[in-house]
């Protein structure tokens, strides 16, 4: 299913009848209620109003999210991956266990500051370089690309060169560590704790800066959103596409680098620590590195596609993305690697095969679904999906400037199986990462739980947005594709 830019969410088999629908009229079609509302002009981005439930969730996230990465780090480092270890150490009042907890809180390190400063500056330079890979690899889409239409009707241009930056970074990593021996390959592991404080400072500073920028000198005032709740605006962002000068786009840079490029380097450093500590690298660590490297490389190979996803097309840039990109991504997405750096897990060969199949199958569904959507977006009714001409619903929506945009909702291929087949594949891959850690502790499975909650919440956010954006067309779509993630179940 495509909507000229973003992955739309939906519902299961409940009826689309809300207060909004009842005010605009509905009509019955068979056994289901079909909304006959017209698309709403320019109101399909982030919410304008904040209810009490949303406010409570925001407060809890601001309080709990910064604590969790630190807690899990201490649990891995000091308690061999025991999820309840740090908690029990403090509630039992045992002097020995409490002292152990304090000892494993990472300290401040100016070396960590220097490491991050060099890393950030290097990635910043790489982001401005013109892409040459799309000349060498014609099937790769790089260079200057256009994003989707914003709620205000704008179309931004982006310098797509993430794959080039990833290749250069990793080539230099292996050259400096194993070739020239300039620093140890365990350097990230060694400073992983102190780096936590550095990236937190950067994440909060970035969120504060973009909040102030959005109020006093926004890049595009027409694409800003303000509510009467400053905490919500700080959390979810005011500016849609904050930029400095022409090409430095905050969302593209911080969502894609330096965090995602660091992901594979962090895993490599964890593997190097295993070699140092255990004398060899376990098959679980190798499998985890391969599966997550596939995901990262896929992201950069399809970076132009990323311009049409939820993060770029609908999320404003606030604490949620600023802090999340700087802290949550490098610390929580690499949780399995951190766990395996401290806990030796050797998988049976049969387990390796099953997990590999699950991970590759999840990746295939994720990529195939997104490819079908992109293929259809480019060729429309001339495309072929599973060897057949595509089925789709012609529709349109309005941006806030009153301009009508024609689009289509795809109901063929994976998008006819369920509305979020790409999310289904993503969850399969997430579970495979966790299974690499065996069943000794619950801690590494937090990632799957988090991804499940994140993607389900995105479905409901998309449902609300698409209902406003497409009106009656969205109702038609949800009747033809009735399930969200798992056919016949959900």
């Amino acid at each position: 299913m495509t909507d000229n830019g973003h992955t739309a969410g939906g519902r299961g088999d409940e009826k689309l009848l809300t207060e909004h629908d009842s005010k605009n009229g509905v009509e019955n079609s068979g056994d289901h209620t079909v909304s006959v509302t017209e698309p709403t002009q320019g109101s399909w981005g982030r919410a304008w109003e904040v209810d009490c439930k949303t406010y409570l969730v925001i407060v809890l996230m601001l309080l709990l999210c910064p604590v969790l990465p630190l807690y899990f780090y201490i649990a891995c480092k000091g308690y061999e991956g025991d999820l309840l270890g740090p908690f029990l150490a403090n509630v039992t009042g045992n002097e020995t266990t409490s002292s152990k907890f304090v000892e494993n809180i990472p300290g401040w390190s100016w070396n960590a500051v220097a490491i991050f400063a060099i890393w950030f500056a290097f990635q910043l330079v790489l982001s401005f370089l013109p892409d040459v890979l799309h000349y060498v690899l014609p099937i790769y889409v790089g260079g200057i690309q256009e994003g989707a239409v914003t709620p205000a009707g704008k179309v931004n241009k982006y310098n797509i060169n993430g794959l080039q930056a990833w290749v250069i970074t990793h080539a230099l990593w292996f050259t400096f560590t194993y070739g020239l021996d300039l620093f140890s390959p365990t350097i990230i592991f060694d400073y992983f704790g102190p780096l936590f404080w550095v990236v937190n400072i950067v994440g909060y500073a970035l969120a504060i800066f973009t909040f102030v920028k959005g109020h006093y000198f926004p890049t595009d005032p027409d694409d800003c959103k303000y509510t009467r709740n400053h905490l919500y605006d700080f959390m979810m962002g005011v500016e849609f596409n904050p930029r400095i000068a022409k090409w430095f786009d905050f969302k593209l840079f911080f969502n894609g680098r330096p965090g995602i490029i660091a992901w594979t380097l962090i895993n490599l450093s964890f593997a190097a620590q295993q070699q140092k500590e255990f004398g060899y690298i376990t098959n679980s660590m190798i499998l985890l590195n391969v599966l997550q490297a596939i995901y990262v490389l896929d992201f950069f190979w399809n970076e132009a596609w990323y311009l049409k996803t939820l993060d770029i097309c609908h999320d404003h840039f606030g604490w949620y993305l600023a802090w999340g990109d700087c802290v949550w991504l490098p610390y929580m997405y690499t949780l399995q690697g951190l766990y395996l750096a401290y806990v030796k897990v050797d998988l049976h060969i049969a387990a390796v095969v099953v997990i590999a199949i699950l991970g590759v199958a999840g990746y295939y569904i994720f990529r195939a679904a997104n490819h079908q959507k992109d293929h259809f977006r480019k060729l429309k009714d001339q495309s072929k999906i599973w060897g057949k001409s595509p089925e789709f619903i012609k529709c349109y929506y309005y941006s806030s400037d009153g301009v009508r945009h024609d689009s289509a909702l795809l109901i063929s291929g994976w998008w006819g199986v369920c509305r979020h087949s790409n999310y289904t594949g993503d969850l399969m891959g997430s579970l495979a990462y966790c299974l690499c850690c065996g069943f000794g502790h619950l801690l590494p499975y937090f990632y799957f739980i988090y991804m499940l909650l994140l993607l389900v919440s995105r479905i409901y956010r998309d449902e609300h947005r698409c209902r406003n954006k497409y009106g009656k067309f969205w109702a038609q779509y949800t009747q033809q594709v009735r399930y969200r993630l798992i056919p016949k179940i959900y």
Side-chain angles (χ1 to χ4, degrees), residues 369-381:
N370 287 320
H371 173 72
Q372 288 176 355
K373 182 176 64 175
D374 292 339
H375 184 61
F376 174 72
R377 182 186 293 122
K378 294 174 183 176
L379 300 179
K380 293 295 186 291
D381 55 352

Side-chain angles (χ1 to χ4, degrees), residues 147-224:
V149 179
T150 72
K154 307 293 174 36
V155 178
N156 290 310
K157 292 186 177 181
Y158 300 84
N159 181 28
I160 300 300
N161 65 355
L163 182 62
Q164 175 178 275
W166 188 92
V167 171
I168 293 173
T169 299
H170 285 69
L172 290 177
W173 167 267
F174 282 104
T175 299
F176 291 158
T177 55
Y178 295 101
L180 301 178
D181 198 25
L182 294 181
F183 52 82
S184 170
T186 64
I187 186 172
I188 300 176
F189 173 86
D190 297 336
Y191 286 97
F192 204 58
L195 280 167
F196 174 79
W197 303 119
V198 179
V199 294
N200 262 282
I201 292 173
V202 173
Y204 274 95
L206 178 62
I208 294 170
F209 173 77
T210 53
F211 179 75
V212 173
K213 181 180 182 299
H215 279 84
Y216 295 103
F217 48 101
T219 302
D220 192 341
D222 291 339
D223 266 323
C224 291

Side-chain angles (χ1 to χ4, degrees), residues 12 16 79-80 90 102 167 180 212 226 247 254 282 363 374 388 405 480 483:
L16 273 175
Y79 299 87
E80 298 182 335
N90 287 278
V102 174
V167 171
L180 301 178
V212 173
Y226 309 91
W247 293 112
F254 286 101
T282 63
Y363 167 74
D374 292 339
K388 300 178 181 179
H405 302 270
Q480 295 194 55
Y483 295 96

Side-chain angles (χ1 to χ4, degrees), residues 1-6 8 35 37-40 44 395-398 405-409 464-475:
M1 181 275 299
T2 182
D3 71 319
N4 195 32
H6 78 291
S35 168
T37 60
E38 285 296 307
T40 307
W44 34 269
C395 61
Y396 56 83
Y397 63 90
Y398 294 99
H405 302 270
D406 292 325
S407 187
L409 300 174
H464 179 268
R465 177 166 41 246
C466 290
R467 186 183 303 153
N468 286 337
K469 184 174 183 178
Y470 296 111
K472 58 186 178 183
F473 305 113
W474 179 248

Side-chain angles (χ1 to χ4, degrees), residues 421-435:
S421 294
N422 56 340
Y423 287 2
T424 304
D426 211 355
L427 287 171
M428 291 169 63
S430 300
L431 180 59
Y433 305 157
C434 300
L435 289 171

Side-chain angles (χ1 to χ4, degrees), residues 106-121:
W108 179 261
S109 169
W110 288 107
N111 286 340
V113 175
I115 290 171
F116 182 83
I118 294 171
W119 169 255
F120 185 86

